[in-house]
Amino acid sequence: MSFAAYRSVLSRPRARQVLLLGLLLRIPIFGTGVLLMLHVVNQLGRSWGEAGLVSAVATIAIAVSGPWRGRLLDKHGLRKVVAPSLVITGSAWAVAPFVGYWPLLVLAGVAGLFVVPIFSVARQGIIAAVPIHERRTALSVDGVAVELAYMSGPAVAVWAGTQWGTAPTLFVVQMLAVLGGGVLWLLDPPLREEGSADDAVALPRASWFRPRFVVLCLAAAASTLVLVGSEVSVVAALQGWGQYALLGLVFAGWGLGSIVGGLTYGALSRGFSPFLLLAGLAVVTMPMALAGSAYTFAALAFVAGLLCAPTITASVEAVSRVVPTAARGEAMGWHGSCMTAGSAAAAPVAGFVIDHGGYQPAILVVSVAGLAVALAGGASALFARRRRLALAA
């Protein structure tokens, strides 16, 4: 294990550029969800259910946009995809914070459909900016950037919203996102490696959308099912114990563990199968069901967090290897949408189990589901490898 690889990655100007832009553009995305719900409840005087509907519409729209916008990136390049995003999302969010509930619902959906595809752009840009032997390290740095954005976005947005009101905060956050998107458009980082063999080839989806890719997307969905499902369970437990104020401590432990795990994984001389890491994530999450206080949760969350970023990094790296460069944008879009779908499914699944059995079985249910997907995916990968070897012989 050597951390010198990080020095090499960060010495590359294009890699630094994409990593920084990726961090800055993700903060508004993570911050907007909770801020939007607070705006609906506090500013518009609606219920939490109605607030959840707005958040769900925006989330579904972003998930739908992933593969579609990714395919456009493959076909037309960054500038032709980002430019309409800036115009449409900028116009939508310039109005949305100052209108009623139903117009807000529509505008949030439209903005979600045309959001700057930063997850796909950042990962493609990072892959293109470094040689293949540094890919895992670079993607690990990006995973840490995602974790930092996930931790800071909601906290900053909620603080600003309580200080200056949710409407002006929503407006400012989204205008900063448009500004960041404008910088991305101006810099136009390459999304493909120089001299890529399939650089100008339009590939039919059937040529790469195959079982190997599908199981990787399922593993990505299962990873967020485990993560978000256990998060929801922790929130329910702390609320029941009257320790809700310590939720930040637990999430800090989780985030710190993920950062440590991500940086360690990127420094390793070799990577691991995403299915093996997903199985490990599911197994180390299970003991959280034994927690009896927020402090125990924080310690166990740190341990579980150690495999969060590595699991996601390994799945992104695997997708980049099994999908041709010319289709990577759409593939990353599908991968991101599956992660979003896993997150979206986690809340109702965990919520149903919590209502009928409590937080402990909820953690076990999402963990077992993740473990089942990992075992099935690992078995399918092993079968496919043996089949290729048999055909080669």
Side-chain angles (χ1 to χ4, degrees):
M1 185 172 70
S2 173
F3 286 91
Y6 286 105
R7 189 180 306 114
S8 179
V9 168
L10 295 175
S11 69
R12 302 179 186 278
R14 271 206 287 130
R16 290 200 307 268
Q17 190 181 86
V18 175
L19 286 166
L20 181 59
L21 280 171
L23 171 63
L24 295 177
L25 282 168
R26 284 163 172 149
I27 289 174
I29 292 175
F30 287 124
T32 296
V34 63
L35 186 59
L36 198 55
M37 293 188 70
L38 288 174
H39 177 72
V40 171
V41 173
N42 297 334
Q43 183 75 20
L44 302 183
R46 297 281 184 151
S47 69
W48 282 103
E50 290 170 308
L53 178 60
V54 176
S55 181
V57 166
T59 301
I60 292 169
I62 292 172
V64 169
S65 77
W68 165 52
R69 307 304 299 282
R71 189 169 181 82
L72 291 177
L73 281 172
D74 293 332
K75 194 172 181 181
H76 301 295
L78 186 146
R79 284 188 166 174
K80 290 185 178 179
V81 174
V82 170
S85 288
L86 299 179
V87 174
I88 295 172
T89 59
S91 301
W93 284 115
V95 177
F98 310 106
V99 298
Y101 178 77
W102 293 108
L104 174 63
L105 184 75
V106 173
L107 290 168
V110 171
L113 284 174
F114 287 90
V115 68
V116 173
I118 188 57
F119 286 88
S120 182
V121 167
R123 285 164 179 164
Q124 287 185 86
I126 289 163
I127 290 169
V130 300
I132 193 168
H133 66 275
E134 293 180 357
R135 183 175 294 179
R136 185 178 65 260
T137 304
L139 288 172
S140 295
V141 179
D142 183 61
V144 170
V146 171
E147 198 65 48
L148 290 172
Y150 178 74
M151 291 168 63
S152 62
V156 172
V158 170
W159 177 83
T162 56
Q163 294 294 313
W164 300 300
T166 54
T169 302
L170 264 175
F171 176 81
V172 170
V173 165
Q174 291 302 326
M175 292 307 106
L176 288 174
V178 171
L179 179 62
V183 174
L184 181 68
W185 179 91
L186 186 65
L187 295 175
D188 191 22
L191 302 183
R192 298 178 185 176
E193 302 88 326
E194 292 182 11
S196 175
D198 57 355
D199 196 47
V201 179
L203 295 175
R205 188 179 290 111
S207 67
W208 56 269
F209 204 106
R210 294 181 174 178
R212 275 202 302 170
F213 172 70
V214 172
V215 294
L216 287 172
C217 286
L218 290 176
S223 67
T224 51
L225 177 71
V226 174
L227 293 172
V228 177
S230 52
E231 284 180 7
V232 171
S233 303
V234 168
V235 171
L238 294 184
Q239 190 172 35
W241 298 338
Q243 299 181 3
Y244 194 77
L246 294 173
L247 183 62
L249 174 67
V250 179
F251 281 1
W254 231 323
L256 180 61
S258 185
I259 290 171
V260 171
L263 290 175
T264 303
Y265 182 71
L268 296 177
S269 57
R270 60 180 294 273
F272 295 96
S273 161
F275 304 112
L276 177 62
L277 289 170
L278 174 59
L281 175 65
V283 169
V284 297
T285 300
M286 289 179 184
M288 292 180 70
L290 302 176
S293 71
Y295 299 102
T296 312
F297 260 137
L300 293 172
F302 174 82
V303 176
L306 292 172
L307 288 179
C308 291
T311 302
I312 295 170
T313 297
S315 68
V316 173
E317 184 183 14
V319 168
S320 75
R321 293 180 184 275
V322 304
V323 174
T325 305
R328 194 178 286 157
E330 183 178 359
M332 290 297 177
W334 280 107
H335 180 273
S337 292
C338 286
M339 291 183 66
T340 302
S343 300
V349 168
F352 178 83
V353 179
I354 290 167
D355 286 341
H356 291 82
Y359 77 93
Q360 293 171 316
I363 291 174
L364 294 176
V365 165
V366 295
S367 298
V368 168
L371 183 60
V373 172
L375 294 175
S380 68
L382 181 62
F383 175 77
R385 189 179 303 115
R386 288 179 174 175
R387 185 179 179 186
R388 288 195 300 273
L389 292 173
L391 291 174

